[in-house]
């Protein structure tokens, strides 16, 4: 049998929304930045350098907006829905 170990990180529950929105913003900004560069100029020399510059700028705006939107949706929309 193989011994497979998984990496787990323990943190307080109050950081859940911050971590969740950070990871979501990171993934979404990468996908959107790469798609926009590919659509606008195509796959060019220096694509990955341009992607990294674009990704950092997109992430700076994506994380706070994702945090605010997640708060608004959870507090004001999902609280009014009864799930069963």
């Amino acid at each position: 049998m193989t011994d497979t170990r998984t990496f787990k990180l323990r943190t307080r529950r109050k950081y859940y929304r911050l971590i969740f929105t950070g990871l979501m913003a990171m993934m979404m900004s990468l996908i959107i930045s790469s798609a926009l560069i590919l659509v606008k100029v195509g796959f060019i020399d220096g694509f990955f350098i341009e992607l990294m510059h674009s990704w950092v700028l997109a992430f700076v705006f994506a994380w706070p907006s994702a945090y605010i939107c997640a708060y608004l949706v959870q507090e004001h929309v999902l609280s009014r829905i009864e799930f069963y």
Side-chain angles (χ1 to χ4, degrees):
M1 279 176 73
T2 339
D3 183 24
T4 57
R5 296 179 187 218
T6 58
F7 174 75
K8 291 195 178 193
L9 182 68
R10 292 189 61 183
T11 187
R12 297 188 187 274
R13 185 101 171 119
K14 66 181 179 179
Y15 299 125
Y16 174 82
R17 186 181 294 155
L18 189 65
I19 294 169
F20 176 75
T21 57
L23 292 172
M24 287 296 294
M26 187 169 42
M27 288 186 289
M28 290 180 66
S29 61
L30 174 65
I31 293 167
I32 292 170
S33 293
S34 57
L36 288 176
I37 292 172
L38 285 172
V39 167
K40 185 176 178 182
V41 293
F43 193 77
I44 57 170
D45 290 335
F47 174 79
F48 292 105
I49 298 298
E50 187 68 30
L51 176 61
M52 290 300 116
H53 290 294
S54 176
W55 187 18
V56 168
L57 183 61
F59 182 70
V60 166
F61 289 96
W63 195 357
S65 60
Y67 189 79
I68 292 168
C69 290
Y71 169 76
L72 292 174
V73 168
Q74 285 178 338
E75 296 296 321
H76 299 290
V77 176
L78 294 180
S79 65
R80 291 179 168 79
I81 299 172
E82 283 189 36
F83 294 99
Y84 59 93

